Amino acid sequence: MKKAMLVFTKVPKVGEVKTRLTEARGGILTPEEANSLYESFILDVIDVCLSIDEADLYICYNREGDRSYFESILAGVSNPQKIAEVFPDQGDHFNERIQYATDYILKNGQEDRLADAILIIGGDLPCLQPHTIRQAFAKMETLSNSEAGQKAACRKLEVNNSMLGACLVEGACQEGGYSLVGFTCTTPVDFQDMFYNLDGITALDMLVNKAEAKQIPLAFLEMVPDVDIPVDLASIMPLLRALVTAAKSDPTLMIPRRTIACLEEIGLQSVTLPAIRESV
């Protein structure tokens, strides 16, 4: 099974990324600080992806973004030459844009496809670790080869002398969303109404609904938090500190150094309210 990782992101631009973290939207950061933090997220996530040798890395960015600037910051990641391709999205809204990016790689299973299976990864997951990505692909292999995966496949496709079955893997994030989602090119799933729908269904529920409707075997990954609002930022800061300490005894962990450095430069600390003693 030929595997692809797809980082789906925006090109960092002051005033257009992570705006819910800014003071103008009730947050705590300036637009410049939010932009710097988002840029750190993206580059740390890409470094994690580049540590995975068994899958190719593709990066899809918003077509309105500054391609030249994006390429300039990507030059600073580890082994930028390992990036398979960087391409702009297409579509009028998020559902269409992520569908385009997926189709660009899987091409509905046609012979000119770039991969047999894809793992879509958000650009704002600073705590993402290599073992989560490897686990996602391992689960896809298992489910694809299962009886349920073979039965749910939307087309017959032979890969490495065996039929490629259907599967879904997902890692949750906060507020009913997901941080990672993966599937094969024979999986009957699309992004119609996934993120924006009129019924108020969460993205995670929508994904599960699609899996149940088509009887697609689904695997669950550990939660990987994203960062959209101030409480998300406050929640990941203790996790980042824990990663630094844990990495001293576990060399498989990757420390998001850019994110940590950016937070230190901004001068943020995560605190909690002290417990109130009840009077007897």
Side-chain angles (χ1 to χ4, degrees):
M1 182 189 295
K2 185 173 175 57
K3 308 174 184 70
M5 298 169 288
L6 171 67
V7 173
F8 192 79
T9 188
K10 285 185 176 182
V11 177
K13 184 177 180 179
V14 174
E16 294 187 8
V17 295
K18 295 302 169 191
T19 56
R20 286 186 289 173
L21 293 175
T22 63
E23 296 166 336
R25 297 283 300 275
I28 56 176
L29 303 180
T30 66
E32 292 76 15
E33 289 170 338
N35 184 73
S36 295
L37 192 59
Y38 183 58
E39 185 172 308
S40 299
F41 292 164
I42 294 170
L43 298 180
D44 282 336
V45 166
I46 290 173
D47 268 344
V48 171
C49 293
L50 289 173
S51 73
I52 307 297
D53 293 327
E54 55 266 37
D56 295 325
L57 173 61
Y58 295 84
I59 303 172
C60 183
Y61 66 94
N62 57 314
R63 65 180 183 274
E64 304 88 357
D66 185 336
R67 172 70 181 247
S68 296
Y69 177 71
F70 198 33
E71 289 180 343
S72 72
I73 64 172
L74 289 177
V77 300
S78 62
N79 301 314
Q81 70 279 0
K82 289 180 62 178
I83 299 173
E85 189 175 350
V86 179
F87 63 96
D89 63 21
Q90 291 186 21
D92 294 330
H93 50 76
F94 193 79
N95 292 334
E96 290 183 356
R97 293 185 176 203
I98 198 167
Q99 185 68 58
Y100 168 80
T102 301
D103 292 343
Y104 184 89
I105 294 171
L106 297 183
K107 301 186 188 302
N108 293 317
Q110 299 174 19
E111 289 188 4
D112 60 342
R113 65 187 179 277
L114 302 176
D116 303 316
I118 191 171
L119 181 66
I120 303 171
I121 301 169
D124 56 352
L125 309 172
C127 296
L128 178 67
Q129 291 298 308
H131 69 261
T132 304
I133 296 176
R134 293 192 177 97
Q135 185 183 54
F137 284 123
K139 288 178 179 291
M140 276 193 268
E141 290 267 12
T142 299
L143 292 183
S144 171
N145 291 324
S146 69
E147 182 178 351
Q150 297 287 314
K151 186 176 180 180
C154 61
R155 62 181 61 87
K156 293 185 179 298
L157 186 64
E158 186 174 329
V159 175
N160 297 331
N161 299 317
S162 64
M163 301 306 294
L164 184 68
C167 65
L168 275 169
V169 299
E170 61 83 18
C173 63
Q174 309 92 305
E175 299 178 328
Y178 54 79
S179 51
L180 307 169
V181 62
F183 48 91
T184 63
C185 62
T186 61
T187 303
V189 67
D190 57 48
F191 291 94
Q192 182 178 352
D193 299 326
M194 184 72 75
F195 296 96
Y196 299 105
N197 60 77
L198 300 178
D199 299 316
I201 303 173
T202 68
L204 186 55
D205 274 327
M206 185 64 76
L207 184 69
V208 174
N209 289 347
K210 289 176 181 282
E212 291 180 340
K214 299 292 181 67
Q215 296 186 317
I216 304 167
L218 172 70
F220 194 78
L221 302 168
E222 65 183 70
M223 178 179 176
V224 184
D226 63 3
V227 181
D228 289 322
I229 56 179
V231 68
D232 299 336
L233 186 56
S235 297
I236 69 156
M237 291 176 70
L239 293 179
L240 295 173
R241 183 168 179 239
L243 270 176
V244 171
T245 300
K248 295 177 182 178
S249 54
D250 184 353
T252 68
L253 294 176
M254 290 186 66
I255 301 172
R257 301 185 184 280
R258 296 180 186 84
T259 297
I260 293 172
C262 185
L263 289 170
E264 289 177 348
E265 183 176 348
I266 294 172
L268 290 180
Q269 288 185 322
S270 180
V271 298
T272 186
L273 294 175
I276 300 176
R277 291 184 178 181
E278 296 182 2
S279 58
V280 178

